[in-house]
Every structure is written in C-alpha cells, then in structure tokens.
Coordinates of all heavy atoms in Angstrom, one line a residue:
H1 N 0.8 -1.2 0.0 CA 0.0 0.0 0.0 C 0.9 1.2 0.0 O 1.8 1.4 0.8 CB -0.9 0.0 1.2 CG -1.7 1.3 1.4 ND1 -2.8 1.5 0.6 CD2 -1.5 2.4 2.2 CE1 -3.3 2.7 0.9 NE2 -2.5 3.2 1.9
A2 N 0.7 2.1 -0.9 CA 1.4 3.3 -1.0 C 0.6 4.3 -1.8 O -0.3 4.0 -2.6 CB 2.7 3.1 -1.6
P3 N 0.7 5.6 -1.5 CA -0.1 6.6 -2.3 C 0.2 6.7 -3.8 O -0.6 7.2 -4.5 CB 0.3 8.0 -1.6 CG 1.4 7.7 -0.6 CD 1.6 6.2 -0.5
W4 N 1.3 6.2 -4.2 CA 1.7 6.2 -5.6 C 1.3 4.9 -6.3 O 1.7 4.8 -7.5 CB 3.1 6.5 -5.8 CG 4.0 5.4 -5.0 CD1 4.4 4.2 -5.6 CD2 4.6 5.5 -3.7 NE1 5.1 3.5 -4.6 CE2 5.2 4.3 -3.5 CE3 4.5 6.4 -2.8 CZ2 5.9 4.0 -2.2 CZ3 5.1 6.1 -1.5 CH2 5.8 5.0 -1.3
S5 N 0.7 4.0 -5.7 CA 0.3 2.7 -6.4 C -1.2 2.5 -6.2 O -1.9 3.0 -5.4 CB 1.1 1.6 -5.9 OG 0.8 1.2 -4.6
T6 N -1.6 1.5 -7.0 CA -3.1 1.0 -6.9 C -3.0 -0.5 -6.7 O -2.0 -1.1 -7.0 CB -3.9 1.3 -8.2 OG1 -3.3 0.6 -9.2 CG2 -3.8 2.8 -8.5
V7 N -4.1 -1.1 -6.2 CA -4.2 -2.5 -6.0 C -4.0 -3.2 -7.4 O -3.3 -4.2 -7.5 CB -5.5 -2.9 -5.4 CG1 -5.7 -4.4 -5.4 CG2 -5.6 -2.3 -4.0
G8 N -4.5 -2.6 -8.4 CA -4.3 -3.2 -9.8 C -2.9 -3.2 -10.2 O -2.4 -4.2 -10.8
D9 N -2.1 -2.2 -9.9 CA -0.7 -2.2 -10.1 C 0.0 -3.3 -9.4 O 0.9 -4.0 -9.8 CB 0.0 -0.8 -9.8 CG -0.4 0.2 -10.7 OD1 -0.9 0.0 -11.8 OD2 -0.3 1.4 -10.3
L10 N -0.4 -3.5 -8.1 CA 0.1 -4.5 -7.2 C -0.1 -5.9 -7.8 O 0.8 -6.7 -7.9 CB -0.4 -4.4 -5.8 CG 0.0 -5.4 -4.8 CD1 1.5 -5.4 -4.5 CD2 -0.8 -5.2 -3.6
I11 N -1.4 -6.1 -8.2 CA -1.7 -7.4 -8.8 C -0.9 -7.7 -10.0 O -0.3 -8.8 -10.2 CB -3.2 -7.5 -9.1 CG1 -4.0 -7.5 -7.8 CG2 -3.5 -8.8 -9.9 CD1 -5.4 -7.3 -8.0
D12 N -0.7 -6.7 -10.9 CA 0.0 -6.9 -12.2 C 1.5 -7.1 -11.9 O 2.1 -8.0 -12.5 CB -0.1 -5.6 -13.0 CG -1.4 -5.3 -13.6 OD1 -2.2 -6.3 -13.7 OD2 -1.7 -4.3 -14.1
Y13 N 2.0 -6.5 -10.8 CA 3.4 -6.7 -10.5 C 3.6 -8.1 -10.0 O 4.6 -8.8 -10.4 CB 3.8 -5.7 -9.4 CG 5.3 -5.8 -8.9 CD1 6.3 -5.4 -9.7 CD2 5.5 -6.5 -7.7 CE1 7.6 -5.7 -9.2 CE2 6.8 -6.6 -7.2 CZ 7.9 -6.2 -8.0 OH 9.1 -6.4 -7.6
V14 N 2.8 -8.5 -9.1 CA 2.9 -9.9 -8.5 C 2.8 -11.0 -9.7 O 3.5 -11.9 -9.7 CB 1.9 -10.2 -7.4 CG1 2.0 -11.7 -7.0 CG2 2.2 -9.2 -6.2
R15 N 1.8 -10.8 -10.6 CA 1.8 -11.6 -11.7 C 3.0 -11.6 -12.6 O 3.4 -12.7 -13.0 CB 0.6 -11.2 -12.6 CG -0.8 -11.5 -12.1 CD -1.9 -11.0 -13.1 NE -3.2 -11.4 -12.5 CZ -4.2 -10.7 -13.0 NH1 -4.2 -9.8 -13.9 NH2 -5.5 -11.1 -12.5
E16 N 3.6 -10.5 -12.8 CA 4.8 -10.4 -13.6 C 6.0 -11.1 -13.0 O 6.7 -11.8 -13.6 CB 5.1 -8.9 -13.9 CG 6.3 -8.7 -14.8 CD 6.1 -9.1 -16.2 OE1 5.0 -9.1 -16.7 OE2 7.1 -9.4 -16.9
V17 N 6.1 -10.9 -11.6 CA 7.3 -11.4 -10.9 C 7.1 -12.9 -10.7 O 8.1 -13.7 -10.7 CB 7.5 -10.7 -9.6 CG1 8.6 -11.4 -8.8 CG2 7.9 -9.2 -9.8
A18 N 5.9 -13.3 -10.5 CA 5.5 -14.7 -10.3 C 6.2 -15.4 -9.1 O 6.8 -16.5 -9.4 CB 5.6 -15.5 -11.6
P19 N 6.2 -14.8 -7.9 CA 6.9 -15.5 -6.8 C 6.2 -16.6 -6.3 O 5.0 -16.7 -6.5 CB 7.0 -14.3 -5.7 CG 5.7 -13.6 -6.0 CD 5.5 -13.6 -7.5
H20 N 6.8 -17.5 -5.6 CA 6.2 -18.7 -4.9 C 5.4 -18.1 -3.7 O 4.3 -18.6 -3.3 CB 7.1 -19.7 -4.5 CG 7.7 -20.4 -5.7 ND1 7.0 -21.3 -6.5 CD2 8.9 -20.4 -6.3 CE1 7.7 -21.7 -7.5 NE2 8.9 -21.2 -7.4
T21 N 6.1 -17.1 -3.0 CA 5.6 -16.6 -1.8 C 5.6 -15.1 -1.9 O 6.6 -14.5 -2.3 CB 6.3 -17.1 -0.6 OG1 6.3 -18.5 -0.6 CG2 5.7 -16.5 0.7
A22 N 4.6 -14.3 -1.4 CA 4.6 -12.9 -1.5 C 4.4 -12.4 0.0 O 3.5 -12.9 0.7 CB 3.5 -12.3 -2.3
Y23 N 5.2 -11.4 0.4 CA 5.1 -10.9 1.8 C 4.6 -9.4 1.6 O 5.1 -8.7 0.8 CB 6.4 -11.0 2.5 CG 6.8 -12.3 2.9 CD1 7.6 -13.1 2.1 CD2 6.4 -12.9 4.1 CE1 7.9 -14.4 2.4 CE2 6.7 -14.2 4.4 CZ 7.5 -15.0 3.6 OH 7.8 -16.2 3.9
A24 N 3.7 -9.0 2.5 CA 3.3 -7.6 2.5 C 4.4 -6.8 3.1 O 5.0 -7.0 4.1 CB 2.1 -7.5 3.4
V25 N 4.6 -5.7 2.4 CA 5.5 -4.6 2.9 C 4.7 -3.3 2.6 O 3.8 -3.2 1.8 CB 6.8 -4.5 2.2 CG1 7.6 -5.8 2.6 CG2 6.7 -4.4 0.7
H26 N 5.1 -2.2 3.3 CA 4.4 -0.9 3.1 C 2.9 -1.0 3.4 O 2.1 -0.5 2.7 CB 4.6 -0.5 1.7 CG 5.5 0.7 1.6 ND1 5.2 1.9 2.1 CD2 6.7 0.9 0.9 CE1 6.1 2.8 1.8 NE2 7.1 2.2 1.1
D27 N 2.6 -1.7 4.5 CA 1.2 -1.8 4.8 C 0.8 -1.2 6.2 O -0.4 -1.3 6.7 CB 0.8 -3.3 4.9 CG 1.5 -4.1 6.0 OD1 2.5 -3.6 6.5 OD2 1.1 -5.2 6.3
G28 N 1.6 -0.4 6.7 CA 1.4 0.2 8.0 C 0.2 1.2 8.0 O -0.3 1.5 9.1
A29 N -0.1 1.8 6.9 CA -1.3 2.7 6.8 C -2.6 2.1 6.7 O -3.6 2.7 6.7 CB -1.1 3.7 5.6
L30 N -2.6 0.7 6.5 CA -3.9 0.0 6.3 C -4.4 -0.5 7.7 O -3.7 -1.0 8.5 CB -3.7 -1.2 5.4 CG -3.3 -1.0 4.0 CD1 -3.1 -2.3 3.3 CD2 -4.4 -0.1 3.3
N31 N -5.7 -0.3 7.9 CA -6.3 -1.0 9.1 C -6.6 -2.4 8.7 O -6.3 -2.9 7.6 CB -7.6 -0.2 9.5 CG -8.7 -0.2 8.5 OD1 -8.7 -1.1 7.6 ND2 -9.6 0.7 8.6
D32 N -7.2 -3.1 9.6 CA -7.5 -4.6 9.4 C -8.4 -4.9 8.2 O -8.2 -5.8 7.5 CB -8.1 -5.2 10.6 CG -7.1 -5.3 11.8 OD1 -5.9 -5.3 11.5 OD2 -7.5 -5.5 12.9
V33 N -9.4 -4.0 8.0 CA -10.3 -4.1 6.8 C -9.5 -3.9 5.5 O -9.7 -4.7 4.6 CB -11.5 -3.2 6.9 CG1 -12.3 -3.2 5.7 CG2 -12.3 -3.4 8.2
G34 N -8.7 -2.9 5.4 CA -8.0 -2.6 4.2 C -7.0 -3.7 4.0 O -6.8 -4.2 2.8
A35 N -6.3 -4.3 5.0 CA -5.4 -5.3 4.8 C -6.0 -6.6 4.4 O -5.5 -7.3 3.5 CB -4.6 -5.6 6.1
A36 N -7.2 -6.9 4.9 CA -8.0 -8.0 4.5 C -8.4 -7.9 3.0 O -8.4 -8.9 2.3 CB -9.2 -8.3 5.4
M37 N -8.8 -6.7 2.6 CA -9.2 -6.5 1.2 C -8.1 -6.8 0.3 O -8.2 -7.5 -0.8 CB -9.7 -5.1 1.0 CG -11.1 -4.8 1.6 SD -11.6 -3.1 1.5 CE -11.6 -2.8 -0.2
V38 N -6.9 -6.3 0.6 CA -5.8 -6.5 -0.3 C -5.3 -8.0 -0.3 O -5.0 -8.6 -1.3 CB -4.6 -5.6 0.1 CG1 -3.3 -6.0 -0.6 CG2 -4.9 -4.2 -0.1
E39 N -5.4 -8.7 0.9 CA -5.1 -10.0 1.0 C -6.0 -10.9 0.0 O -5.7 -11.9 -0.5 CB -5.3 -10.6 2.4 CG -5.0 -12.0 2.6 CD -5.0 -12.4 4.0 OE1 -5.2 -11.6 4.9 OE2 -5.0 -13.7 4.2
G40 N -7.3 -10.5 -0.1 CA -8.2 -11.1 -1.0 C -7.8 -11.0 -2.4 O -8.3 -11.9 -3.2
F41 N -7.0 -10.0 -2.8 CA -6.6 -10.0 -4.2 C -5.3 -10.7 -4.5 O -4.9 -10.9 -5.6 CB -6.4 -8.4 -4.5 CG -7.6 -7.7 -4.6 CD1 -7.8 -6.6 -3.8 CD2 -8.6 -8.0 -5.5 CE1 -9.0 -5.9 -3.7 CE2 -9.8 -7.2 -5.6 CZ -10.0 -6.2 -4.7
L42 N -4.6 -11.0 -3.4 CA -3.3 -11.7 -3.6 C -3.4 -13.1 -3.1 O -4.3 -13.5 -2.5 CB -2.2 -10.9 -2.8 CG -2.0 -9.5 -3.3 CD1 -1.0 -8.8 -2.5 CD2 -1.5 -9.4 -4.7
G43 N -2.3 -13.8 -3.4 CA -2.2 -15.2 -2.8 C -3.1 -16.1 -3.6 O -3.5 -15.9 -4.7
E44 N -3.4 -17.3 -2.9 CA -4.0 -18.4 -3.6 C -5.5 -18.0 -4.0 O -6.0 -18.6 -4.9 CB -4.0 -19.6 -2.7 CG -2.6 -20.1 -2.4 CD -2.5 -21.0 -1.3 OE1 -3.5 -21.3 -0.6 OE2 -1.4 -21.6 -1.1
R45 N -6.1 -17.1 -3.3 CA -7.4 -16.7 -3.6 C -7.5 -15.6 -4.7 O -8.6 -15.2 -5.1 CB -8.2 -16.3 -2.4 CG -8.3 -17.4 -1.3 CD -8.9 -16.9 -0.1 NE -8.5 -15.6 0.3 CZ -8.6 -15.0 1.4 NH1 -9.3 -15.6 2.4 NH2 -8.1 -13.8 1.7
G46 N -6.4 -15.0 -4.9 CA -6.4 -13.8 -5.8 C -6.7 -14.1 -7.2 O -6.7 -15.3 -7.7
P47 N -6.9 -13.1 -8.0 CA -7.3 -13.3 -9.4 C -6.1 -13.6 -10.3 O -5.5 -12.8 -10.9 CB -7.9 -11.9 -9.9 CG -7.2 -11.0 -8.9 CD -7.0 -11.7 -7.6
G48 N -5.8 -14.9 -10.4 CA -4.7 -15.3 -11.2 C -3.3 -15.1 -10.6 O -2.3 -15.0 -11.3

C-alpha cells in the first residue's frame, strides 16, 4: 500500500514477478479491513 500505487498495479506486479511466496510490505497505513481486502486480491485466492 502506498499513495503512488493502486491494487491493480500491485496485482500486475505480482503476476509479472510470479513469486512462490509474497510478503506484505508498506502496509502500516492499512487498518485490518484494508489489509484483508488486499489479501483477498493476492495469494491463492487472488485473481490469477
């Protein structure tokens, strides 16, 4: 999470890099709801 990025950019980046494991960084400004929303887009449940 950062003011200069979007969740769409984040998803595209993770798709491009194609890691086996992704760790959240730059997430201190998110509350639990925001973190859960981003988690829903990434990982095994994410869109591709």
Side-chain angles (χ1 to χ4, degrees):
H1 175 75
W4 57 86
S5 70
T6 66
V7 173
D9 291 339
L10 176 62
I11 292 168
D12 290 345
Y13 177 78
V14 174
R15 284 179 178 161
E16 182 71 25
V17 173
H20 293 287
T21 305
Y23 290 92
V25 296
H26 247 296
D27 63 344
L30 294 177
N31 64 19
D32 290 340
V33 173
M37 288 174 57
V38 173
E39 182 177 350
F41 292 117
L42 298 176
E44 297 166 353
R45 299 178 316 196

